[in-house]
Amino acid sequence: ELKLKEFSKQYVRDALLEMGFDPAKDKSAPKLSNEQVVECAYRYIHIYEMITGKKFEFPPKMAPSKRIILNLQRAGMLVGGFVVIAAGSDSDMPHLETLKKELAKFNVPSQIRICSAHKQPGRLEQVIGMYNKSVEPIMLVGCAGGTDALSGTASYSATFPVVSCPPDGMNSTCLTNPPGSSNAFIVKPANVGKFAAQFFASHCPKVAAELEANIQEKIRKLEQADESLAKRARLAESFAESTPAKSGA
């Protein structure tokens, strides 16, 4: 019996019925063979090419976690990078808010978390363990004054970068952590913002664009300052040449 070759999901229905599947009685459908899956894919690809007039290109192979991030980025639900601003106390909130603002300048989302390495070591390990499971690229900024155990403890257990930015400036305890504690150290919140943007730029076009714009703006201001000084020098030289020299008595 000749049968019209349909380019629709009817092919799957027919294949299942030919395999003895009864939708009125059977609770689950049988599994299609590899040949049937290929045939079904071919028909849908053919439909795509007929409607769009374009050749179907198979997407490149990538890890599922990366594919999830890309899909969420396309949907506008994810940037492609996230910063955890971790502090041992909320007494340094102005410093934490400054960090959040500097990160926002580069379109990098962030969240402030309060967890003391001295008073809540178990809780800190749980928080780090949770972020270790994230499919989204993460960076943690440790903000602890006095004796900074937060950055060292976090960087020892984390599978993502940890940067110390203490609220009390040049805190040497951030630099003397034991072997295995790999935290970096940046004093100024503005520099933390740029560092995060550099880290996430390869994952997110929006962050990359803001980073490039920031760099070019700095260069433009330097060039303007240089041109302003050069212009003053030219004016001074021109004025000196146009002013007649006074003769001596």
Side-chain angles (χ1 to χ4, degrees), residues 32-248:
L32 295 176
S33 67
N34 290 338
E35 291 77 11
Q36 289 169 323
V37 171
V38 170
E39 176 63 24
C40 185
Y42 161 74
R43 296 188 184 212
Y44 277 95
I45 290 173
H46 190 65
I47 292 171
Y48 168 84
E49 293 180 339
M50 288 176 62
I51 294 175
T52 65
K54 300 177 182 178
K55 181 176 176 56
F56 178 81
E57 299 289 344
F58 284 92
K61 291 183 178 180
M62 66 177 66
S65 59
K66 187 174 182 180
R67 187 172 65 251
I68 291 170
I69 291 174
L70 289 175
N71 289 336
L72 290 173
Q73 282 181 290
R74 292 191 189 101
M77 299 173 65
L78 205 67
V79 169
F82 182 78
V83 172
V84 181
I85 303 172
S89 168
D90 62 353
S91 60
D92 299 312
M93 192 57 70
H95 180 68
L96 308 181
E97 292 290 353
T98 299
L99 279 164
K100 194 173 181 67
K101 290 178 182 177
E102 292 297 334
L103 290 163
K105 291 179 181 179
F106 294 94
N107 278 331
V108 176
S110 61
Q111 181 182 21
I112 297 173
R113 300 294 302 269
I114 306 299
C115 192
S116 171
H118 290 115
K119 303 178 182 68
Q120 302 168 290
R123 172 62 179 158
L124 178 60
E125 288 294 330
Q126 290 177 359
V127 170
I128 297 301
M130 179 187 70
Y131 286 120
N132 279 343
K133 297 176 183 178
S134 174
V135 297
E136 184 178 23
I138 283 183
M139 187 180 93
L140 184 143
V141 180
C143 307
T147 303
D148 178 20
L150 176 61
S151 300
T153 303
S155 65
Y156 186 86
S157 302
T159 57
F160 46 82
V162 175
V163 178
S164 300
C165 185
D168 49 359
M170 289 298 298
N171 188 331
S172 61
T173 64
C174 302
L175 306 172
T176 54
N177 283 314
S181 294
S182 55
N183 57 291
F185 179 76
I186 300 176
V187 176
K188 297 180 179 180
N191 290 344
V192 172
K194 184 174 181 180
F195 180 83
Q198 291 169 323
F199 177 65
F200 295 127
S202 61
H203 302 284
C204 179
K206 289 184 179 179
V207 173
E210 287 295 338
L211 176 61
E212 180 62 24
N214 177 270
I215 293 171
Q216 293 305 318
E217 176 65 14
K218 298 290 185 183
I219 293 174
R220 186 183 65 81
K221 288 182 177 179
L222 290 172
E223 291 175 345
Q224 285 181 340
D226 181 64
E227 177 59 28
S228 178
L229 291 172
K231 186 176 181 180
R232 288 183 184 180
R234 290 194 297 270
L235 288 172
E237 184 179 349
S238 177
F239 178 78
E241 291 176 351
S242 63
T243 304
K246 293 181 180 180
S247 59

